[in-house]
Amino acid sequence: MLRRGAARVSLWSRERKLRLFLETFRPGPETSVVDVGVTNAPFGAGSSDNFFEALYPWPERITAVGPTELDHFGAAFPAVRAVRADGRELPFPDGSFALGFSNATVEHGAGGRAGQRRFVAELCRVAERVFVTTPNRFFPVDPHTLLPFAHW
């Protein structure tokens, strides 16, 4: 019950981020987007992982990047191009995408602050404009475990 409630709050927060992204950048059906930080998991069944791919109006315009095999991801989101890569070394030419998106991923940058800077620099290199979020440390639910106050 607690996990279900935490998952609902997490999804609500992620839906708000998506609305902010859409309102801020006003993408259309021709806008190319790279989402760096996807997981090899489907959306739903209590998980809000990969919410961007599940809720974005034009999934065929997304290139999703994750550090692991993305076979389950690919099956769940067949319209999305999936690429296995490290967010600090993206395999795309400069300016390949109109928009870059990354939700609650930069804080995982291996190599501490230097790795985090490299992650953001890479996203800025491949996308003309970027939207990067990090978990709010004052949010009462730990975004990784979905347990209340575990990260405090």
Side-chain angles (χ1 to χ4, degrees):
M1 167 120 159
L2 184 58
R3 273 194 163 313
R4 229 176 320 147
R8 275 197 302 270
V9 170
S10 178
L11 179 58
W12 171 82
S13 172
R14 291 173 179 200
E15 287 171 337
R16 283 185 55 218
K17 290 175 189 175
L18 178 60
R19 279 194 306 276
L20 179 61
F21 174 83
L22 295 172
E23 290 168 5
T24 301
F25 296 112
R26 303 209 178 276
E30 300 304 316
T31 307
S32 59
V33 181
V34 62
D35 178 9
V36 180
V38 300
T39 64
N40 194 30
F43 174 81
S47 169
S48 59
D49 288 348
N50 305 318
F51 72 97
F52 187 79
E53 288 70 21
L55 304 175
Y56 188 71
W58 305 283
E60 67 281 356
R61 300 299 294 155
I62 302 171
T63 297
V65 179
T68 63
E69 287 296 327
L70 296 172
D71 53 330
H72 298 297
F73 176 92
F77 305 104
V80 175
R81 177 181 173 214
V83 175
R84 181 180 181 180
D86 185 321
R88 297 166 298 168
E89 281 187 55
L90 296 172
F92 312 112
D94 296 357
S96 295
F97 303 93
L99 300 174
F101 182 89
S102 184
N103 179 65
T105 303
V106 68
E107 70 275 10
H108 297 283
R113 294 270 188 227
Q116 293 169 351
R117 281 193 289 277
R118 182 71 186 144
F119 180 95
V120 172
E122 271 296 276
L123 190 56
C124 290
R125 181 185 66 77
V126 302
E128 295 170 17
R129 298 182 295 160
V130 301
F131 186 90
V132 178
T133 70
T134 60
N136 180 339
R137 64 189 241 157
F138 299 111
F139 192 68
V141 177
D142 174 68
H144 304 103
T145 64
L146 296 181
L147 295 173
F149 312 111
H151 57 303
W152 290 357

